[in-house]
């Protein structure tokens, strides 16, 4: 999905903080969904106005994901961004997958880095994601959730069957590109190998420990040449900024994982960003 410099203002800054939970252990998997949980998900048609098609399942989530789950169900759109989808319904429907896994260092997030040969935002880290395709189905019946899984598989090679979708954040809007973005939350219940599928689009696929995202030493305010400012994360030999950093920042903040960080610490963005 194309990123724009205006995305640095799509979400405001906060700080994170994360702890490893006990459920599942390192790389552990959650329990298989019970029939009751599946039935409950099937009768839950929407989350923040997005059709889920019965694909949501909160059964067997690790304990440490409880704050993220709670934040996803209670956060208001205005708490994530001042740029929300047009009331007219205009905008291209799209979705990103925010995938939490577990590792020896505790909770982690799956990210990818755009190819350096791309004309726009080369080398910028992002969530896997992209535009809704006809094959994904009706957005009112889980199409956007399926789009997030499909795009993640196409971009990182992950096995969607090992991903448990447990939440959906409010839709956000990117005015310059006209994308209406649905952030889909997933638990990597059964991890699978991931890597670059198409080098023309993706430079690398990597995971970032939440502990690194919550470390104040890795936080900074990014400054675009246009003057736009936003939250940034200096992790995994990369600078995560823009839309992706803003969503991570707000999600960790409302999950209660915030740690104070120096907002005066600034990192200038390249003019090509």
């Amino acid at each position: 999905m194309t990123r724009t410099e205006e995305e640095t203002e799509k979400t405001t800054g906060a700080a994170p903080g994360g702890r490893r939970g006990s459920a599942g252990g390192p790389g552990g998997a959650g329990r298989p969904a019970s029939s009751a949980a599946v039935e409950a998900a099937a009768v839950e048609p929407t989350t923040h106005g997005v059709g889920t098609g019965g694909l949501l399942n909160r059964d067997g989530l690790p304990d440490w994901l409880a704050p993220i789950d709670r934040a996803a169900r209670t956060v208001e759109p205005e708490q994530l961004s001042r740029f929300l989808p047009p009331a007219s319904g205009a905008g291209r429907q799209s979705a990103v997958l925010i995938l939490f896994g577990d590792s020896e260092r505790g909770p982690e997030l799956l990210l990818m880095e755009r190819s350096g040969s791309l004309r726009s935002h080369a080398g910028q880290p992002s969530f896997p994601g992209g535009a809704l395709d006809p094959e994904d189905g009706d957005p009112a019946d889980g199409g956007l959730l399926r789009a997030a899984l499909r795009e993640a598989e196409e971009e990182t090679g992950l096995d969607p069957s090992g991903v448990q979708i447990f939440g959906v954040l409010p839709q956000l809007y990117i005015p310059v590109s006209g994308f209406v973005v649905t952030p889909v939350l997933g638990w990597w219940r059964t991890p699978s190998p991931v890597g670059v599928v198409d080098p023309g689009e993706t430079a690398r696929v990597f995971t970032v420990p939440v502990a690194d995202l919550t470390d104040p030493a890795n936080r900074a305010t990014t400054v675009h040449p246009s003057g736009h400012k936003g939250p940034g994360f200096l992790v995994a030999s990369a600078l995560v900024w823009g839309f992706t950093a803003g969503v991570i920042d707000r999600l960790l903040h409302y999950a209660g994982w915030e740690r104070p960080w120096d907002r005066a610490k600034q990192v200038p963005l390249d003019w090509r960003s």
Side-chain angles (χ1 to χ4, degrees), residues 82-272:
R82 65 188 180 90
F83 292 94
L84 303 179
S88 65
R92 188 177 184 187
Q93 293 291 326
S94 61
V96 295
L97 180 64
I98 305 176
L99 184 59
F100 287 89
D102 204 351
S103 70
E104 292 183 355
R105 291 195 58 196
E108 62 183 11
L109 270 177
L110 177 69
L111 295 175
M112 51 174 277
E113 189 173 295
R114 290 167 57 83
S115 171
S117 63
L118 294 175
R119 290 188 303 173
S120 62
H121 309 289
Q124 184 175 350
S126 67
F127 300 119
L132 180 75
D133 281 354
E135 66 188 85
D136 301 319
D138 189 342
D141 190 31
L144 290 164
L145 280 65
R146 286 187 287 270
L149 289 175
R150 175 186 54 75
E151 287 282 347
E153 180 179 15
E154 293 177 357
E155 293 176 331
T156 73
L158 70 77
D159 182 355
S161 68
V163 176
Q164 179 177 329
I165 297 178
F166 67 90
V168 180
L169 294 178
Q171 291 186 308
L172 305 177
Y173 185 58
I174 303 176
V176 172
S177 63
F179 276 111
V180 175
V181 185
T182 297
V184 177
L185 296 169
W187 155 235
W188 212 350
R189 177 173 44 81
T190 306
S192 56
V194 292
V196 174
V197 176
D198 182 356
E201 294 187 1
T202 306
R204 66 169 173 147
V205 177
F206 59 102
T207 56
V208 178
V210 171
D212 289 351
L213 293 168
T214 62
D215 186 344
N218 297 334
R219 296 303 315 269
T221 296
T222 60
V223 183
H224 192 271
S226 64
H228 295 153
K229 296 180 181 180
F233 298 86
L234 294 158
V235 292
S237 302
L239 171 62
V240 183
W241 66 282
F243 177 88
T244 301
V247 172
I248 293 173
D249 178 80
R250 292 287 80 192
L251 183 58
L252 297 182
H253 171 71
Y254 285 111
W257 290 351
E258 182 172 5
R259 294 175 63 189
W261 57 281
D262 183 6
R263 298 172 188 274
K265 177 183 176 181
Q266 296 187 349
V267 175
L269 295 171
D270 189 276
W271 64 270
R272 293 168 294 182

Side-chain angles (χ1 to χ4, degrees), residues 9-140:
E9 288 192 339
K10 296 303 175 288
T11 51
T12 55
R19 291 195 309 254
R20 180 178 180 173
S22 59
R31 293 185 290 110
S34 67
S35 59
V38 172
E39 291 173 2
V43 298
E44 183 180 16
T46 61
T47 296
H48 292 299
V50 174
T52 63
L55 298 176
L56 287 187
N57 178 11
R58 297 188 178 96
D59 187 63
L61 293 176
D63 292 343
W64 56 263
L65 265 180
I68 298 292
D69 178 34
R70 181 176 59 251
R73 289 183 281 122
T74 58
V75 69
E76 296 295 332
E78 295 79 7
Q79 293 176 307
L80 292 179
S81 174
R82 65 188 180 90
F83 292 94
L84 303 179
S88 65
R92 188 177 184 187
Q93 293 291 326
S94 61
V96 295
L97 180 64
I98 305 176
L99 184 59
F100 287 89
D102 204 351
S103 70
E104 292 183 355
R105 291 195 58 196
E108 62 183 11
L109 270 177
L110 177 69
L111 295 175
M112 51 174 277
E113 189 173 295
R114 290 167 57 83
S115 171
S117 63
L118 294 175
R119 290 188 303 173
S120 62
H121 309 289
Q124 184 175 350
S126 67
F127 300 119
L132 180 75
D133 281 354
E135 66 188 85
D136 301 319
D138 189 342

